[in-house]
Amino acid sequence: MDIDLSAQEKKTWFFQMVKEFPSKLKDDVTKHVKNVQKFGKDDPRRIIHSLKVGCALTLVSMLYYVRPLYNSFGVTGMWAILTVVVVFEFSVGGTLSKSLNRGFATLIAGSLGVGAVHLARFFGHKGEPIVLGILVFLLGAAATFSRFFPKIKQRYDYGALIFILTFSMVAISGYRTYEILGMAYQRLSTILIGGTICILVSIFICPVWAGEDLHKMIANNIDKLANYLEGFEGEYFPQPEKTLKETKSCAREYKSILTSKSTEDTLANLARWEPGHGRFELRHPWKQYLKIAGLVRQCAFHFEILSGYVLSDVKAPHDFISKIQEPCSVMSREAGEALKAIAKSIKKMNKDSVCVNAHIENSKKAIENLRVALKSYSPETEKDILEIIPGVTMASILIEIVNCVEKISEAVKEFSVLAHFKETLDPKLSPELRQDLHQHHLLHRGSVKPVLEGDNEKEDSSSPHVLITVHEEQPPTTNEKKVLGAEKTRVYVV
Amino acid sequence: MDIDLSAQEKKTWFFQMVKEFPSKLKDDVTKHVKNVQKFGKDDPRRIIHSLKVGCALTLVSMLYYVRPLYNSFGVTGMWAILTVVVVFEFSVGGTLSKSLNRGFATLIAGSLGVGAVHLARFFGHKGEPIVLGILVFLLGAAATFSRFFPKIKQRYDYGALIFILTFSMVAISGYRTYEILGMAYQRLSTILIGGTICILVSIFICPVWAGEDLHKMIANNIDKLANYLEGFEGEYFPQPEKTLKETKSCAREYKSILTSKSTEDTLANLARWEPGHGRFELRHPWKQYLKIAGLVRQCAFHFEILSGYVLSDVKAPHDFISKIQEPCSVMSREAGEALKAIAKSIKKMNKDSVCVNAHIENSKKAIENLRVALKSYSPETEKDILEIIPGVTMASILIEIVNCVEKISEAVKEFSVLAHFKETLDPKLSPELRQDLHQHHLLHRGSVKPVLEGDNEKEDSSSPHVLITVHEEQPPTTNEKKVLGAEKTRVYVV
């Protein structure tokens, strides 16, 4: 809009605005409604949680609406409402942690408060407020200080808060109220009622388990890494036969992993409060997830650096690139497949080390091939060594990534033992054959070659080979059936 | 201890244990006490905060102890105690955010609650609890859902919680209490008293500003990066004349930056609630800190990868290393100096672009030197190109780090304008000379050479040069005085 607008133009512009206002408002409102709908659809558990809170509130309000209940609790029923509102969290672990913290802290602080009031009464009416004041000051300060300690902060922060709250309230109001025992009892019982309602609604109506969320998050993070590696080949190396659109570009989902530590820590912390549920036992090794998550993040750091070289316009000369293309492609592809297999094994809670090891061995073999390729490359001019730097660095980081993937696989293997993952080797295979397979695998490290979907390479059909089918859902029928064509079956020629 | 212990041996062992118990207990207790002392000394603000909470609690308890105050508030004084306990946070921003959220949410929800009760009374004694129940369910669920939206979660999460709490309490207890207006008023006024006490104690007794913490944290993080680079040369390159102990090793403090995002986000969020204080105005560009922090973290990711090569035993052959040692050392040293200067400029809130630019230009010049060195390197054998890979990768990542440092410097420059940093150029320099300096600097990019402490290189004394002294504390006297020897003065020969 011009600054030197004439008065007439301004007027028409103003009327235009007024005219358009209703339709604009309508657009805005529908946009917002759509946003909210989309937000709810993204994770329907949010809607369910909101309804659960409403439900718990309605339940607890019965303390007021139902005459016999109101007669026994009176206005202290208010504490039950308060408890429901502040204690009800999204996950079962969160609700349990807060409820238990609140319950125990109230019990301990209430008893101490009653004790403090009785103690203070020895000092006469004048001395009582002074003694109580000093006690409140000291215990309040000490409990506040304790909240800074990492261990207490992590698990008992809310408990310490409620401790200060309850102790102060009992001790201070004890000066004016003479029925503090009754008051403490009523406060405790209403908190118990509120807490129990929360825990029951939280566990029995569409529960959200923090442990399950953590489990899925770690598996998904590994999948995100795999997705990046899947697109790497297409994005880094020139694909003559494909157009730019067809080339699968790297998924940048891994970026969320870089800063996901606090979420993981919180989930692991809450998971430890949860009882056994579904596939997770009471003493599930939750801490182990954090170890895996740390290695996954380490791998994501490498991706972040690699990504800079992928996006950079400065690439190595064509003859160098074509020399390293094959081994680098195999490295990234196989490492990606290994990560996919690891993620699947976590998701299904099945041991799948044969498949994972095979892919890792393949990518290690590719590292060897890369070394051979580099050895045979002799720079033609002086300038050449300078120009190949980006390519060399990229390859070097890719090697580090393969090492990271191996570390992740080892951590998951350790975890799979602690978490009692199921074996997935075909149960119809005899123990001897399994032993054979294992030995064969150990002797011919690097020669394990998975048949990938759409893999056109010719197999040496004369060599003797054993087929292992790793079924996903359906029970196995024979060892050689359903080998090809079945979409969800992966075949290994050992 | 042997498993086949005889009964006699077991007995002596048991008595030994009993004997040692008191001394062990004493050791444990003194250990714990020392730990707590150390924890308090690490950040004495923790102790002060604890005492402040105790103080606020004692103040608020006057509502009970002082007869006239008790007569006007009665048992609702309890809400003031409750408010103090839950609202008092470590930083001023935290306390303000919670107090304001609590105050406004109580006001809005209280009014809505009173309205809801009046509305429900139209439906008769039987209909009332049903209408109230439905309203509590709907508003409770809607407010809970709103807490999932990132924007609300970030700033108004506590407000939404208190909204649900107050609305439910007023609406539900309104069914039994007929003086709900009085109740809502008392609740609001006691919350105001509690909140005001918290805000006053928080601001006027040794305040802890989240904004200042964020400011210091960012500057310290940049310093951590600089410390790593300072030790890099000594750790990566062989230092024949120094023993292993003398070699300054890389400080690994930067690791904390990798996962500090959530802390930074929280601090920036709280800082926005704080009024202007000290060197920070009300509308200080807090968001800009997050941008700088992101770039600092990006740089730390590179350090993490570099660190792998520093610690690795596989290094490039000696002749290659000696070729790249000089430029790489200069790169890391100058980038480190640039970071130190940036951190200092943030800490002092002074513009210091001349000094920072000079260091960055120097490190860029070193990149050029590295290129020349690499160009002149011709591998003698086929194997050589393979062996130099770790060295090449290290150098390549170092180049990326220099780029990162440049980005950080640009972001800080942008920030320094927004945050009105002071100019540090010698005020006695005439504007013409400053202009000259600037132009000279632009024309001779890369030829800016700082005289470092302990730098033994010879200067071309015949070339004309201008000395700029950048003073830190003392006001400038002349342009050429205090050039050498003064520990806290940095000199540039342009």
Side-chain angles (χ1 to χ4, degrees), chain A residues 64 67 176 298 304 309, chain B residues 64 67 176 298 304 396:
Chain A
Y64 267 80
R67 171 59 70 180
R176 296 283 177 194
Q298 199 68 22
E304 185 68 1
Y309 291 93
Chain B
Y64 267 79
R67 171 60 69 183
R176 295 284 176 192
Q298 198 70 21
E304 184 69 2
S396 193

Side-chain angles (χ1 to χ4, degrees), chain A residues 36 39-40 46-47 49-51 53-55 57-58 61 64-67 70 78-79 81-82 85-86 90 129 132-133 136-137 140-141 144-145 148-150 161 164-165 168-169 172-173 175-176 258-259 261-262 297-298 301-302 304-305 309 371 374-375 377 379 382-383 385-386 388-389 392-393 396-397 400, chain B residues 36 39-40 46-47 49-51 53-55 57-58 61 64-67 70 78-79 81-82 85-86 90 129 132-133 136-137 140-141 144-145 148-150 161 164-165 168-169 172-173 175-176 258-259 261-262 297-298 301-302 304-305 309 371 374-375 377 379 382-383 385-386 388-389 392-393 396-397 400:
Chain A
V36 172
F39 192 75
R46 290 170 181 154
I47 300 174
H49 171 71
S50 308
L51 297 178
V53 172
C55 184
L57 273 176
T58 316
S61 61
Y64 267 80
Y65 298 150
V66 178
R67 171 59 70 180
Y70 185 73
M78 191 166 61
W79 289 108
I81 302 172
L82 201 142
V85 177
V86 295
F90 187 56
L132 283 176
V136 166
F137 179 87
T144 305
F145 187 69
F148 285 112
F149 287 91
L161 185 81
I164 307 171
L165 186 65
S168 312
M169 274 171 48
I172 296 173
S173 62
Y175 179 60
R176 296 283 177 194
L258 297 172
T259 51
K261 189 176 185 295
S262 58
R297 193 160 19 261
Q298 199 68 22
F301 292 156
H302 282 88
E304 185 68 1
I305 311 300
Y309 291 93
R371 279 188 215 281
L374 283 174
K375 221 185 250 180
Y377 179 78
E382 273 183 351
K383 226 184 152 187
I385 194 160
L386 228 163
I388 63 171
I389 289 180
V392 168
T393 311
S396 193
I397 295 170
E400 287 299 314
Chain B
V36 171
F39 192 75
R46 289 170 182 153
I47 300 175
H49 172 71
S50 309
L51 297 178
V53 172
C55 184
L57 273 176
T58 315
S61 61
Y64 267 79
Y65 298 151
V66 179
R67 171 60 69 183
Y70 185 73
M78 191 166 61
W79 289 108
I81 303 172
L82 201 142
V85 177
V86 294
F90 187 55
L132 283 175
V136 167
F137 180 87
T144 305
F145 187 68
F148 285 111
F149 287 90
L161 185 81
I164 307 171
L165 185 65
S168 311
M169 273 171 48
I172 295 173
S173 62
Y175 179 60
R176 295 284 176 192
L258 297 172
T259 50
K261 189 175 185 295
S262 57
R297 192 160 19 261
Q298 198 70 21
F301 292 156
H302 282 88
E304 184 69 2
I305 310 300
Y309 290 93
R371 278 189 216 282
L374 283 174
K375 220 185 250 178
Y377 179 80
E382 273 183 351
K383 228 186 152 187
I385 195 160
L386 227 161
I388 63 170
I389 288 180
V392 168
T393 312
S396 193
I397 294 170
E400 288 297 315

Side-chain angles (χ1 to χ4, degrees), chain A residues 63-113:
Chain A
L63 285 182
Y64 267 80
Y65 298 150
V66 178
R67 171 59 70 180
L69 286 175
Y70 185 73
N71 285 348
S72 51
F73 289 104
V75 282
T76 48
M78 191 166 61
W79 289 108
I81 302 172
L82 201 142
T83 303
V84 166
V85 177
V86 295
V87 148
F88 209 121
E89 292 277 316
F90 187 56
S91 65
V92 176
T95 309
L96 272 172
S97 139
K98 275 203 157 177
S99 309
L100 295 178
N101 261 308
R102 193 179 175 91
F104 282 104
T106 305
L107 186 65
I108 298 167
S111 328
L112 277 178

Side-chain angles (χ1 to χ4, degrees), chain B residues 274-285:
Chain B
E274 289 175 352
H277 55 280
R279 304 171 296 171
F280 308 101
E281 292 163 17
L282 180 61
R283 298 216 163 272
H284 194 72

Side-chain angles (χ1 to χ4, degrees), chain A residues 121-284:
Chain A
R121 281 184 190 158
F122 284 115
F123 294 85
H125 195 70
K126 285 242 163 157
E128 201 181 334
I130 298 168
V131 173
L132 283 176
I134 292 171
L135 282 175
V136 166
F137 179 87
L138 287 181
L139 261 97
T144 305
F145 187 69
S146 80
R147 288 176 73 193
F148 285 112
F149 287 91
K151 270 189 191 167
I152 292 177
K153 197 185 179 75
Q154 203 184 31
R155 302 200 74 184
Y156 308 111
D157 190 59
Y158 188 65
L161 185 81
I162 295 297
F163 177 87
I164 307 171
L165 186 65
T166 309
F167 181 79
S168 312
M169 274 171 48
V170 173
I172 296 173
S173 62
Y175 179 60
R176 296 283 177 194
T177 322
Y178 285 89
E179 289 167 11
I180 48 159
L181 256 180
M183 185 189 130
Y185 165 75
Q186 271 190 328
R187 184 168 147 74
L188 191 63
S189 59
T190 43
I191 283 179
L192 279 182
I193 292 173
T196 312
I197 289 177
C198 285
I199 293 175
L200 292 179
V201 172
S202 178
I203 293 185
F204 292 106
I205 306 180
C206 309
V208 174
W209 302 98
E212 207 170 322
D213 271 16
L214 178 65
H215 185 88
K216 279 183 190 158
M217 187 179 177
I218 302 294
N220 284 339
N221 281 354
I222 296 176
D223 256 342
K224 282 175 186 172
L225 294 182
N227 290 341
Y228 181 82
L229 284 178
E230 211 172 49
F232 169 77
E233 188 185 346
E235 195 157 328
Y236 190 83
F237 295 108
Q239 307 277 318
E241 72 274 16
K242 287 182 190 172
T243 62
L244 203 69
K245 267 195 181 173
E246 273 178 10
T247 315
K248 204 172 182 181
S249 69
C250 297
R252 311 252 170 250
E253 297 160 335
Y254 76 87
K255 286 210 178 252
S256 70
I257 305 171
L258 297 172
T259 51
S260 64
K261 189 176 185 295
S262 58
T263 316
E264 288 155 8
D265 285 350
T266 311
L267 284 178
N269 190 26
L270 294 182
R272 286 159 70 193
W273 289 93
E274 289 174 353
H277 55 279
R279 304 171 296 172
F280 308 101
E281 291 163 18
L282 182 61
R283 298 218 163 270
H284 194 71

Side-chain angles (χ1 to χ4, degrees), chain A residues 327-399:
Chain A
C328 282
S329 299
V330 175
M331 263 158 76
S332 67
R333 202 191 308 136
E334 290 292 328
E337 288 288 332
L339 286 172
K340 281 238 146 122
I342 293 171
K344 210 174 80 185
S345 121
I346 294 179
K347 274 182 198 161
K348 304 243 158 208
M349 293 183 90
N350 284 338
K351 274 183 193 159
D352 194 8
S353 54
V354 176
C355 167
V356 174
N357 283 349
H359 286 298
I360 288 177
E361 289 303 329
N362 283 342
S363 53
K364 278 183 162 176
K365 207 179 157 195
I367 294 179
E368 279 313 308
N369 292 341
L370 177 70
R371 279 188 215 281
V372 173
L374 283 174
K375 221 185 250 180
S376 68
Y377 179 78
S378 53
E380 280 157 25
T381 62
E382 273 183 351
K383 226 184 152 187
D384 252 28
I385 194 160
L386 228 163
E387 280 180 344
I388 63 171
I389 289 180
V392 168
T393 311
M394 182 281 294
S396 193
I397 295 170
L398 212 51
I399 293 174

